[in-house]
Amino acid sequence: MTPPQDPLELFRTLKEIRPSEEFWTGFWPSVRAGIRELEMRRRPTLSPFGALLLGSSAGIMVAAAVLAVGFLIVPALTDRPLLNSPREALLPSAHGTAEQAVPHAVLPVMENPGPPTARVYTFHVGGKADETDVILIVDESLDI
Amino acid sequence: MEERELIRRAQQGDLQAFEQLVREWRDQVFRIARQIVGEDEGAKDVAQMVFIRLWQVIRKYREGGSFAAYLHRITVNLAIDFHRQRSRRDPAESWDPSGLDQMTSMSGSVEHSPGEVQRIFQILARKLSPRQRAAFVLREIEGLATEEVSEILGMRQSTVRNHVRDARRILEESLRRLFPEYARVKKKEDSEK
């Protein structure tokens, strides 16, 4: 090769240099490994045991939610109409306090529910022969 | 398969299509990285990083834009980062006069191989800033238009022209001084152009 007129022409020949096919051996596998590593890092890693545990926890939580709905919320909703029974006159309003709620003269003697914020609901259940009063005391501070 | 189709497939996660893209672009990516980084193994590492990065961001590439410019931008940025990190680790890398004696003796003959030219460029280019080097490589070696270089480097065309002009001046002076047998005195009319 003869030196070109413009000295920097010399460097334009660098564009023609191509590495051999051998030079690229292992190049793509390294790129692919890098890509996989990157993707592994992006995904949250979960062992099979962790996945099982997570699955079980989720299942337990769903089951607990269903039970809560079935046993607590639905009965509470269906019981509400009872408050309109003839005994309603004896019951406090939903905002009444425990002391106001239970007139001792009418209802059976019972333990003092304690906190004045407690709400007392009385349900009248059963037929005429086995008529029973069910008294429900609700308060956040009651420790059962 | 057409490049556009390969890109579309790669955007959808097709690794085979992406491998094809890598095969088509690896020479150019490597070549640009080598001129900026200054050595083959480092440039190969940069090329690898470029394609891994490309896989990460290829979904963001919008059809209609220049894929070459998109890829070159990644290449130049990673190559400059690599070069800076290495220079920080080993400051002697930025200018290593020890290689000069070896090169001068190598260049005793006027005939020279492309490998020898490569080595000369690597020695002389150490005097350039990373941006000057990148602008020179893209404009003068790869032969891209100033507009494309400005897009790739994210700088004004006037800045690109300044970088290329400064790089040319530095390289030319160094070449005349250190490797005079490669730098014939230009005719007056050539220098006036």
Side-chain angles (χ1 to χ4, degrees):
Chain A
M1 203 188 291
T2 323
Q5 195 89 31
D6 176 358
L8 298 184
E9 279 285 329
L10 186 71
F11 299 133
R12 292 195 186 115
T13 60
L14 295 177
K15 193 181 175 181
E16 310 308 321
I17 303 178
R18 279 172 172 263
S20 65
E21 203 50 40
E22 232 173 59
F23 179 81
W24 294 114
T25 309
F27 183 77
W28 170 246
S30 304
V31 172
R32 200 180 49 202
I35 289 171
R36 286 202 177 132
E37 198 185 319
L38 196 81
E39 288 183 342
M40 291 291 283
R41 250 187 275 152
R42 257 197 224 155
R43 275 184 218 144
T45 47
L46 204 59
S47 66
F49 179 71
L52 191 71
L53 198 66
L54 185 72
S56 318
S57 323
I60 289 167
M61 284 166 75
V62 169
V66 169
L67 287 175
V69 168
F71 285 94
L72 298 173
I73 298 171
V74 172
L77 291 174
T78 50
D79 284 348
R80 262 178 198 278
L82 285 175
L83 294 173
N84 295 325
S85 67
R87 290 188 65 95
E88 195 180 13
L90 297 173
L91 296 175
S93 70
H95 301 289
T97 63
E99 280 168 22
Q100 292 164 338
V102 187
H104 294 278
V106 180
L107 295 173
V109 176
M110 54 175 291
E111 282 183 51
N112 186 350
T117 53
R119 292 175 190 171
V120 181
Y121 298 98
T122 307
F123 303 98
H124 183 63
V125 294
K128 282 192 176 175
D130 54 351
E131 190 181 55
T132 314
D133 286 326
V134 177
I135 300 166
L136 183 64
I137 302 164
V138 183
D139 190 79
E140 285 178 0
S141 61
L142 285 180
D143 184 13
I144 305 169
Chain B
M1 202 185 295
E2 207 181 297
E3 184 176 88
R4 197 180 299 173
E5 180 61 12
L6 287 174
I7 295 169
R8 201 184 55 76
R9 288 193 181 193
Q11 285 177 320
Q12 290 166 352
D14 183 340
L15 259 181
Q16 277 187 330
F18 188 70
E19 182 183 1
Q20 191 66 32
L21 273 179
V22 171
R23 281 183 187 282
E24 283 181 18
W25 284 97
R26 65 188 183 188
D27 279 354
Q28 199 172 356
V29 164
F30 169 75
R31 209 168 52 223
I32 293 172
R34 177 169 57 185
Q35 310 311 346
I36 297 173
V37 167
E39 42 97 11
D40 286 7
E41 277 312 306
K44 200 174 176 182
D45 288 347
V46 169
Q48 234 170 59
M49 291 191 279
V50 166
F51 289 114
I52 293 170
R53 179 86 186 120
L54 177 66
W55 174 259
Q56 269 184 294
V57 297
I58 198 165
R59 283 173 192 83
K60 292 180 190 164
Y61 167 73
R62 292 280 162 264
E63 208 176 299
S66 160
F67 182 70
Y70 191 72
L71 186 58
H72 289 161
R73 193 179 310 134
I74 298 173
T75 306
V76 169
N77 288 338
L78 288 177
I80 289 177
D81 283 351
F82 184 93
H83 180 68
R84 280 189 179 141
Q85 277 173 13
R86 207 189 40 188
S87 302
R88 237 176 272 143
R89 261 203 325 267
D90 181 10
E93 270 294 316
S94 54
W95 174 243
D96 179 15
S98 65
L100 287 179
D101 297 338
Q102 202 186 349
M103 283 311 302
T104 314
S105 60
M106 268 171 68
S107 61
S109 149
V110 172
E111 293 291 314
H112 51 275
S113 67
E116 198 177 333
V117 176
Q118 177 66 59
R119 186 87 179 96
I120 293 171
F121 178 74
Q122 282 169 10
I123 289 171
L124 301 184
R126 285 173 189 165
K127 285 198 154 188
L128 306 178
S129 74
R131 291 276 155 191
Q132 282 173 338
R133 197 193 273 226
F136 182 84
V137 168
L138 296 172
R139 180 75 188 89
E140 297 289 322
I141 298 180
E142 292 300 317
L144 302 183
T146 304
E147 193 185 346
E148 288 174 283
V149 180
S150 116
E151 194 191 331
I152 293 167
L153 297 181
M155 53 175 71
R156 287 177 177 186
Q157 290 188 34
S158 56
T159 313
V160 171
R161 277 190 215 100
N162 288 342
H163 278 323
V164 173
R165 191 197 55 222
D166 292 346
R168 282 181 64 93
R169 185 179 44 76
I170 293 168
L171 289 173
E172 217 171 314
E173 281 173 13
S174 309
L175 189 70
R176 285 185 202 290
R177 196 159 41 84
L178 300 168
F179 304 98
E181 61 276 27
Y182 290 97
R184 266 197 201 159
V185 179
K186 281 198 280 185
K187 287 177 187 171
K188 200 179 177 189
E189 58 266 30
D190 284 341
S191 53
E192 281 170 357
K193 271 181 193 175

